[in-house]
Amino acid sequence: MAREIRFPGIYGLLFVLFVEHCTQGELTYSVQEELKHGSIIANVARDLGLESQGIDVRKARVEMEGSEKEYIRVDPRTRDLLIAGRIDREEHCGQKPTCVLKFDLLLENPLELHRLSLQVEDINDNSPVFQKDTVKLEISESADKGARYRINAAHDADIGQNAIQSYTLEQNPHFVFNIQTTSAGSKYGELVLNKELDREEQQELKLLLTAVDGGSPKRSGTVLIHVTVLDANDNAPVFTEAVYTASLPENASLNTPVIIVSAKDVDEGVNGKVTYEFGRLSDKSRKIFSLNEKTGEVIVAGQLDYEEGSKYELMIEAKDGYGLSSEAKVIIDITDVNDNAPLIYVKSLSNPIPENVSPGTEVGIINVQDRDSENNRQVRCSIQENVPFKLVPSIKNYYSLVTTGQLDRELVSDYNITIIATDEGSPPLSSSKTIQLSVADINDNPPVFEEQSYSAYVSENNKPGSSLCTVSARDPDWRQNGTVIYSLLPGEVNGASVSSYLSVNGDTGVIHAVRSFDYEQFRSFKVQVMARDNGSPPLSSNVTVSVFISDVNDNSPQILYPAPEGSSFMTELVPKAAHGGSLVSKVIAVDSDSG
Ligand SMILES: *[C@@H]1O[C@H](CO)[C@@H](O)[C@H](O)[C@H]1NC(C)=O
Ligand SMILES: *[C@@H]1O[C@H](CO)[C@@H](O)[C@H](O)[C@H]1NC(C)=O
Ligand SMILES: *[C@@H]1O[C@H](CO)[C@@H](O)[C@H](O)[C@H]1NC(C)=O
């Protein structure tokens, strides 16, 4: 028995976001234009394979070269790529069939650049617009059936299905409407006479022409065609060329002639008198060019800027006295002049930098941009030579600012680093930017005593508390890393702790006697004083202080012989025959003082 298997149909809209991984890290996403602020495009962390890393720590940024505006950004929390500003496809890409915006996705630490392409899909956000509200035609009543009258087509800034799909002319007995394409590729409409006019029956006709696009919902625009019925009419003017081309440097001054267009009309009198006017023209072009309606000369009437627009297309209509017209296209190429100096952006800067960073540490990221094109936008970047920093070219027009040597805050605490960017135009233009960078302190210097050792002299019987001498140490580090505190190192003098003899003032280094000294007990002693800074961890050094005690006459002599004890009399035997001057006896006395 045969069995039939049916698959359910899949209906509904499917929006596909696709991602490609390339070795260089190119991401491609597709979005509709005019999406709401905050709409999620994709999860970039996942697409870059960085889920395990803190993308917020790496300061993910999305930038569009040459634009300060933010269109998309990375949410540091969810790591989603979000819409951050209005993206209007028509503003960026005009009539181009595909619209791709290029972004740089930057990650720091280490610096990493990913290209990000955003394909912007059209939505039907523009209505068809006719150049004018009303078109006036004067048509002879003798015109034959099949006679054609040119009507400028409407314009819709959208593309593809969202552009104009059809025209409808209000029901009327005389005219039908056709769309034609010129050899230059532009479209125009024709009002075709389907049934002869009769001026006596009807002097004028008002017909509403509607252009409709194919969007969903559809949008439309209308023009009123006002036909005045007259006598004989004849030939339309004919341009000498269908397409005129011209080229201009972007620094062309006002009133510079661009081109002269010319159309001939074989008729005589009013019928052969040709005037020129612009057909469909963007607001931008209208500000830059003006057309002499009699001579057909186009001149520069506004400020040109290659960076704002490198190519202009103007439609020019030639009309005879009765309104018969034809159209030609003028293509004007603007050539670049080196009129933009490079711009230097500091994208990231670690400031201050600790003085102990190793040589080769990245301290900043610099980006240079030049709005000119080709050689005029090739930029070389350098910094002055007398600083321990250099610029290392990184990806594209990014540079890393890295240290080239050991820093020492105690020698140089601030750097002004001047970056100079020069383009390769002729003459070249350059610009510079100065970065102020401070060096932060590290506790890398111990206090150093001004003397290798200290000696203090004091007379015995001094008053307790009297100051003996001052020790002093310097530490060039910053704030607490350079604040010196003095203290006595523990030790013993004659079996007693040094602190029972001396004290040191922790702030001033003044050494005081704690007690009165006795020369007869000891004549000198040594102590160790330490100077320590307040860093963490602290650094210290030690110094020896020798204290010398000098004598004061504080002891009476003592007679040792004859012995002072016992009888105060002493008998010495002297021989009778002793001559005067003979030794009788010796008296011995000592004094514990010196000198
Ligand atoms: C850096 O520039 C600033 C401002 O111009 C100036 O005050 C400072 O003294 C400079 N520093 C150095 C180290 O040249
Ligand atoms: C002192 O040095 C330490 C590192 O040794 C550093 O972390 C601290 O910021 C420094 N203090 C000051 C005030 O610069
Ligand atoms: C100073 O002496 C103390 C105690 O003996 C010792 O711990 C310290 O390391 C010494 N400092 C220096 C710089 O020699």
Side-chain angles (χ1 to χ4, degrees):
M1 198 177 88
R3 283 181 70 192
E4 198 182 74
I5 303 173
R6 276 221 183 103
F7 291 100
I10 298 170
Y11 300 99
L13 266 178
L14 196 63
F15 286 104
V16 185
L17 298 178
F18 56 94
V19 185
E20 285 167 15
H21 283 284
C22 292
T23 42
Q24 296 149 324
E26 168 133 4
L27 297 168
T28 306
Y29 299 110
S30 170
V31 292
Q32 283 189 348
E33 62 171 326
E34 310 281 0
L35 276 185
K36 267 217 318 275
H37 196 280
S39 307
I40 296 173
I41 303 169
N43 186 301
V44 273
R46 189 193 57 220
D47 296 340
L48 289 171
L50 298 175
E51 282 149 309
S52 57
Q53 297 188 20
I55 209 165
D56 48 335
V57 175
R58 295 193 59 188
K59 297 189 198 158
R61 271 201 304 262
V62 192
E63 288 175 2
M64 186 182 202
E65 187 170 325
S67 172
E68 295 286 297
K69 244 177 104 176
E70 191 184 38
Y71 294 104
I72 53 178
R73 68 182 178 84
V74 176
D75 184 328
R77 198 175 48 79
T78 64
R79 301 154 180 209
D80 284 328
L81 189 64
L82 304 178
I83 298 282
R86 176 173 175 241
I87 303 179
D88 181 11
R89 197 201 62 82
E90 286 74 34
E91 178 190 327
H92 294 283
C93 300
Q95 293 288 292
K96 282 190 210 149
T98 54
C99 183
V100 178
L101 305 185
K102 301 257 185 210
F103 296 89
D104 290 340
L105 171 64
L106 274 166
L107 297 174
E108 289 185 14
N109 219 344
L111 182 60
E112 222 176 89
L113 177 91
H114 299 273
R115 311 268 159 90
L116 198 157
S117 303
L118 205 60
Q119 185 160 347
V120 182
E121 308 291 349
D122 188 42
I123 63 164
N124 193 21
D125 55 346
N126 290 284
S127 301
V129 180
F130 284 96
Q131 185 67 21
K132 296 174 184 164
D133 293 339
T134 312
V135 173
K136 288 194 157 93
L137 285 178
E138 295 172 325
I139 298 178
S140 163
E141 61 177 328
S142 66
D144 294 327
K145 179 173 171 178
R148 291 157 187 274
Y149 304 91
R150 208 173 155 287
I151 305 285
N152 281 337
H155 173 68
D156 189 322
D158 293 318
I159 54 164
Q161 197 62 27
N162 293 333
I164 295 165
Q165 300 298 320
S166 63
Y167 289 87
T168 37
L169 185 67
E170 183 184 340
Q171 273 294 294
N172 73 93
H174 293 285
F175 292 99
V176 293
F177 186 77
N178 283 337
I179 277 289
Q180 302 286 354
T181 308
T182 66
S183 56
S186 58
K187 284 201 160 52
Y188 64 95
E190 274 180 349
L191 206 56
V192 183
L193 193 59
N194 206 25
K195 174 173 172 275
E196 284 83 354
L197 297 163
D198 182 358
R199 192 173 161 279
E200 283 64 43
E201 185 193 308
Q202 193 174 11
Q203 270 193 12
E204 57 173 23
L205 284 87
K206 286 183 176 163
L207 306 170
L208 198 64
L209 177 65
T210 307
V212 186
D213 67 23
S216 151
K218 291 183 193 318
R219 288 167 172 264
S220 64
T222 58
V223 63
L224 185 70
I225 302 174
H226 185 166
V227 180
T228 309
V229 185
L230 314 164
D231 292 323
N233 207 343
D234 31 42
N235 298 288
V238 179
F239 276 101
T240 54
E241 319 262 347
V243 179
Y244 294 84
T245 55
S247 165
L248 268 181
E250 60 173 321
N251 61 354
S253 55
L254 289 188
N255 297 326
T256 303
V258 180
I259 200 164
I260 299 178
V261 297
S262 164
K264 299 268 178 290
D265 192 308
V266 292
D267 297 313
E268 285 182 354
V270 175
N271 291 342
K273 195 170 183 310
V274 179
T275 57
Y276 302 92
E277 64 180 65
F278 283 128
R280 178 165 68 72
L281 198 61
S282 67
D283 288 345
K284 194 151 98 183
S285 309
R286 197 179 294 280
K287 285 185 193 132
I288 295 176
F289 299 105
S290 83
L291 172 65
N292 183 315
E293 66 164 33
K294 292 203 178 73
T295 63
E297 184 178 31
V298 178
I299 60 168
V300 177
Q303 194 67 51
L304 283 168
D305 186 358
Y306 177 86
E307 288 70 37
E308 291 292 322
S310 59
K311 186 172 189 162
Y312 292 90
E313 287 191 9
L314 316 176
M315 300 306 294
I316 296 183
E317 250 181 90
K319 265 190 180 167
D320 68 19
Y322 281 115
L324 281 182
S325 66
S326 64
E327 196 175 51
K329 187 188 252 183
V330 177
I331 298 175
I332 303 168
D333 282 311
I334 308 298
T335 53
D336 187 39
V337 169
N338 192 21
D339 58 350
N340 290 287
L343 296 172
I344 303 171
Y345 298 97
V346 178
K347 290 292 179 186
S348 135
L349 186 66
S350 316
N351 188 21
I353 34 171
E355 58 179 325
N356 65 347
V357 294
S358 47
T361 303
E362 182 179 275
V363 297
I365 296 170
I366 313 294
N367 177 235
V368 290
Q369 296 183 5
D370 192 306
R371 298 183 64 218
D372 294 315
S373 56
E374 305 198 345
N375 274 355
N376 295 341
R377 71 174 299 154
Q378 294 303 317
V379 179
R380 275 171 296 119
C381 225
S382 63
I383 60 175
Q384 84 264 39
E385 292 195 332
N386 54 353
V387 290
F389 296 95
K390 66 175 177 185
L391 282 179
V392 178
S394 185
I395 31 194
K396 224 165 94 181
N397 37 11
Y398 286 85
Y399 294 82
S400 295
L401 182 64
V402 302
T403 58
T404 56
Q406 210 68 54
L407 304 177
D408 187 355
R409 191 202 65 86
E410 287 72 40
L411 289 178
V412 187
S413 62
D414 289 285
Y415 290 96
N416 285 342
I417 301 171
T418 304
I419 296 170
I420 297 163
T422 310
D423 66 28
E424 287 179 6
S426 75
L429 293 176
S430 63
S431 59
S432 71
K433 183 164 211 129
T434 298
I435 300 176
Q436 281 181 294
L437 209 59
S438 305
V439 181
D441 190 40
I442 292 292
N443 193 19
D444 55 356
N445 290 286
V448 174
F449 281 100
E450 285 173 358
E451 314 271 335
Q452 289 204 311
S453 63
Y454 290 84
S455 302
Y457 298 91
V458 59
S459 302
E460 60 177 331
N461 302 333
N462 57 304
K463 277 197 205 122
S466 59
S467 68
L468 302 184
C469 73
T470 304
V471 294
S472 162
R474 293 190 187 285
D475 187 326
D477 287 322
W478 183 244
R479 299 255 164 92
Q480 65 259 38
N481 291 341
T483 306
V484 180
I485 299 153
Y486 304 94
S487 59
L488 273 183
L489 285 176
E492 289 192 346
V493 175
N494 265 13
S497 155
V498 286
S499 56
S500 63
Y501 291 90
L502 297 179
S503 70
V504 60
N505 182 313
D507 298 330
T508 62
V510 176
I511 295 177
H512 298 272
V514 171
R515 60 156 78 160
S516 185
F517 301 132
D518 183 359
Y519 175 83
E520 286 70 33
Q521 234 181 342
F522 48 83
R523 300 177 176 193
S524 68
F525 60 91
K526 290 184 176 179
V527 295
Q528 296 273 309
V529 175
M530 177 166 79
R532 179 176 59 83
D533 63 27
N534 225 350
S536 145
L539 296 174
S540 68
S541 52
N542 299 336
V543 77
T544 305
V545 178
S546 308
V547 180
F548 297 98
I549 300 156
S550 54
D551 189 33
V552 165
N553 195 14
D554 59 345
N555 289 287
S556 323
Q558 272 182 314
I559 297 169
L560 297 179
Y561 183 87
E565 302 92 31
S567 82
S568 55
F569 279 104
M570 185 77 201
T571 312
E572 293 284 346
L573 294 176
V574 181
K576 248 193 193 142
H579 301 287
S582 313
L583 176 74
V584 176
S585 180
K586 251 185 190 162
V587 175
I588 300 168
V590 292
D591 190 320
S592 45
D593 293 320
S594 67

